[in-house]
Amino acid sequence: MSIKYLHTMVRVKDLDASIAFYKLLGLVERQRKESEQGRFTLVFLCPPDMADGHADVELTYNWDGDDGLPSDSRHFGHLAYTVPDIYEMCQTLMDAGVTINRPPRDGHMAFVRSPDNVSIELLQEGEPLAPQEPWASMENTGHW
């Protein structure tokens, strides 16, 4: 018996803000399903080169609200993505108002949080980049 990875589902409080955040990471919307009877919307996002049916993130938005969000979400763990230039990605996110919780001081790894407090790990593709400012001396903010 074999299994196949399908997706990771996260509940979101503000669908538009969450979609905008994941698009900053470079993901694209692959599919959207709305259920009038269930009163929810599902949005599947994935890296552009995986738009043939491999959904990495399923955003679940309950039309009638979800009072438990955003919670700490640490029970969930995190989503992880490799990026071609971790410094460029972190700068793009910072310029858009996203807090870099764990800066890429080592040129290899950073953590940020989505609008719904989901922890996102960013890893430098390939070898770590040489340490550079302002990242090398930037302190952690919050937790991841």
Side-chain angles (χ1 to χ4, degrees):
M1 174 185 290
S2 64
I3 62 172
K4 178 182 170 186
Y5 174 80
L6 294 177
H7 60 265
T8 299
M9 184 275 272
V10 295
R11 295 186 198 291
V12 301
K13 191 168 189 143
D14 182 331
L15 186 59
D16 292 334
S18 294
I19 290 171
F21 171 80
Y22 289 101
K23 284 186 175 184
L24 279 171
L25 293 177
L27 302 185
V28 296
E29 184 173 327
R30 181 181 67 77
Q31 185 178 13
R32 184 180 292 238
K33 296 179 181 179
E34 297 193 350
S35 172
E36 185 73 38
Q37 182 178 4
R39 301 195 50 73
F40 64 84
T41 299
L42 305 178
V43 176
F44 295 85
L45 298 142
C46 62
D49 60 339
M50 295 184 174
D52 61 353
H54 183 86
D56 283 340
V57 180
E58 171 193 331
L59 304 182
T60 298
Y61 173 70
N62 293 308
W63 299 354
D64 299 322
D66 199 333
D67 292 337
L69 295 175
S71 68
D72 181 46
S73 296
R74 290 184 66 78
H75 63 280
F76 167 78
H78 64 267
L79 300 174
Y81 296 98
T82 60
V83 296
D85 185 324
I86 197 160
Y87 297 138
E88 183 181 340
M89 175 59 76
C90 286
Q91 188 64 56
T92 297
L93 293 170
M94 220 165 67
D95 290 348
V98 174
T99 299
I100 309 299
N101 299 106
R102 195 278 192 193
R105 290 183 292 274
D106 54 6
H108 175 68
M109 178 179 65
F111 277 88
V112 298
R113 288 203 173 246
S114 77
D116 296 289
N117 220 15
V118 173
S119 185
I120 310 291
E121 179 183 26
L122 303 172
L123 296 168
Q124 174 61 42
E125 189 176 289
E127 295 297 314
L129 301 179
Q132 73 180 51
E133 294 299 338
W135 314 107
S137 60
M138 193 179 286
E139 296 292 321
N140 293 343
T141 302
H143 61 278
W144 56 89

